[in-house]
Amino acid sequence: MAKYLMLKHYRGAPAMDCPPMDEWTPDEISAHVQFMRDFAARLEESGEFVDAQGLAPEGTWVRYDGPGRPPVTDGPFAETKDLIAGWMLIDVDSYDRALELAGELSAAPGVGGKPIYEWLELRPLLSAPPTTTS
């Protein structure tokens, strides 16, 4: 089994022909969220679901700035909170299965109940290198 992270992006991915969620009706948002819950429940039954979370738009970058100094919390960087909307972590038998599931998740409903064809970033989790015992 291999774990993959499916990242949902607000922007930064190739363009989609779908208005932002803040322009959707409450019913469209509810249908989208229910699709996500049903998708996760199906993967839970198959043993492929690990976790999923939506992210709030606010966030803070933090960096150590040396002994006795407060952490740095601002700087010239891309704001992840502007890019990442949420994620789902899956544990599947193959890369092909991960692609299949990402394709299904991309079809979540949006405006008018039509699939949003959302771009998802599919990334494998690093695994620990083998250890040797002496």
Side-chain angles (χ1 to χ4, degrees):
M1 299 286 278
K3 290 187 173 101
Y4 287 88
L5 184 64
M6 295 188 288
L7 287 170
K8 297 172 67 64
H9 290 271
Y10 285 116
R11 60 177 181 258
M16 294 184 332
D17 186 23
C18 179
M21 192 177 268
D22 61 0
E23 296 177 17
W24 297 8
T25 68
D27 286 344
E28 290 166 341
I29 293 170
S30 292
H32 181 82
V33 169
Q34 190 59 53
F35 176 94
M36 300 294 291
R37 287 183 180 141
D38 293 345
F39 185 81
R42 188 168 49 92
L43 294 184
E44 206 164 4
E45 288 176 19
S46 70
E48 296 172 308
F49 179 82
V50 177
D51 195 18
Q53 299 292 324
L55 299 174
E58 57 276 341
T60 303
W61 282 88
V62 178
R63 178 180 62 82
Y64 175 72
D65 200 34
R69 298 178 59 140
V72 175
T73 58
D74 199 7
F77 42 74
E79 293 283 347
T80 306
K81 63 189 174 197
D82 291 336
L83 302 176
I84 301 174
W87 50 270
M88 182 176 285
L89 185 60
I90 57 175
D91 193 359
V92 294
D93 288 329
S94 67
Y95 174 73
D96 289 338
R97 177 65 175 154
L99 282 177
E100 176 186 344
L101 293 174
E104 287 183 41
L105 188 56
S106 171
V111 174
K114 296 178 182 173
I116 59 175
Y117 301 103
E118 178 179 32
W119 282 98
L120 299 172
E121 184 178 356
L122 183 62
R123 305 221 10 218
L125 269 60
L126 289 175
S127 58
T131 58
T132 58
T133 56
S134 317

